[in-house]
Amino acid sequence: MTYSGAVKLDGPADVHELTDLMISKVAVGAMNNNAYLLRCRATGEQLLIDAANDAGTLLTLIGDDGIASVVTTHRHADHWQALAEVVAATGAETFAGRFDAEGIPVPTEVLVDDGDTVRVGLIELTARHLVGHTPGSIALVYDDPHGHPHLFTGDCLFPGGVGNTHQDPEAFASLINDVETKLFDRLPDETWVYPGHGDDTTLGAERPQLPAWRERGW
């Protein structure tokens, strides 16, 4: 099956099968959050990005192999509703951005800064700290040696715009600047974007809209 990234609540996971990594995407919770399970094909080790909601769905997705770690992309409550239950069931190590950890009720064991490496098996993900949607949001970049990069953006980048900055001009300026300099300026158009809600996109599809986003201010 060809991966599309289009998932529905209570529907099956969509699985992106890369050479070294498998990425399974599900939608959970009343706010239609995306959760992503990453599995290193060489070792079988797994990592979950955002235990957002519906722990039963997430634990079924994880399966008997468990997870070594769970990364919370940012402090907003819709992204950690199932975190306590998933961690209790799996013993997973918890990761979050240094400046958002205080807003996540489950203790963060590994504080993540810009440029840090997060590993799942033999796979390395590079963290990018993006300020504006929250103080400590992080995105994760997998630079696939066999193809284009893959980018998990939380709520900082979606098809059609950056994340909500609640009509705060300073927060918007910070977020659009970080998204441009740390994502668009460093990664190619082919980069596949996995957002915290809704459908996937690519940097190439969004790049032409950057001037319009700046002009409209959101």
Side-chain angles (χ1 to χ4, degrees):
M1 295 289 290
T2 301
Y3 175 81
S4 69
V7 292
K8 296 181 179 180
L9 289 174
D10 300 320
D14 199 7
V15 182
H16 206 166
E17 297 198 25
L18 309 179
T19 302
D20 297 333
L21 180 69
M22 292 180 61
I23 303 166
S24 299
K25 176 181 180 179
V26 292
V28 292
M31 297 186 70
N32 203 34
N33 286 72
N34 295 325
Y36 300 95
L37 181 69
L38 279 56
R39 181 182 180 91
C40 172
R41 297 175 77 109
T43 67
E45 187 170 288
Q46 298 189 124
L47 173 152
L48 183 68
I49 297 175
D50 284 344
N53 211 314
D54 194 353
T57 293
L58 298 180
L59 290 171
T60 297
L61 179 69
I62 290 166
D64 293 340
D65 289 342
I67 51 173
S69 50
V70 55
V71 178
T72 303
T73 58
H74 63 289
R75 66 171 64 189
H76 287 162
D78 58 308
H79 289 260
W80 48 253
Q81 290 297 305
L83 182 59
E85 190 170 345
V86 167
V87 169
T90 63
E93 191 172 32
T94 53
F95 291 68
R98 179 177 300 277
F99 301 105
D100 267 12
E102 65 181 9
I104 300 168
V106 178
T108 298
E109 295 169 287
V110 180
L111 298 173
V112 180
D113 293 309
D114 188 65
D116 282 355
T117 298
V118 177
R119 292 179 172 84
V120 52
L122 304 182
I123 301 298
E124 294 188 350
L125 309 168
T126 302
R128 291 298 170 208
H129 178 209
L130 308 170
V131 182
H133 182 66
T134 66
S137 290
I138 54 171
L140 295 173
V141 181
Y142 169 51
D143 191 1
D144 186 355
H146 307 285
H148 55 73
H150 296 259
L151 172 63
F152 302 88
T153 57
D155 282 2
C156 287
L157 178 64
F158 297 98
V162 296
N164 191 351
T165 52
H166 305 284
Q167 299 180 327
D168 180 334
E170 184 176 346
F172 172 75
S174 175
L175 183 56
I176 193 75
N177 286 339
D178 276 359
V179 165
E180 281 201 36
T181 59
K182 295 182 179 181
L183 303 182
F184 283 94
D185 288 355
R186 298 183 185 183
L187 298 168
D189 284 351
E190 295 79 12
T191 302
W192 194 283
V193 177
Y194 305 82
H197 304 261
D199 292 344
D200 299 355
T201 186
T202 65
L203 289 187
E206 307 306 321
R207 194 183 301 273
Q209 305 178 67
L210 284 168
W213 299 351
R214 279 193 175 276
E215 185 175 353
R216 75 188 185 192
W218 55 275

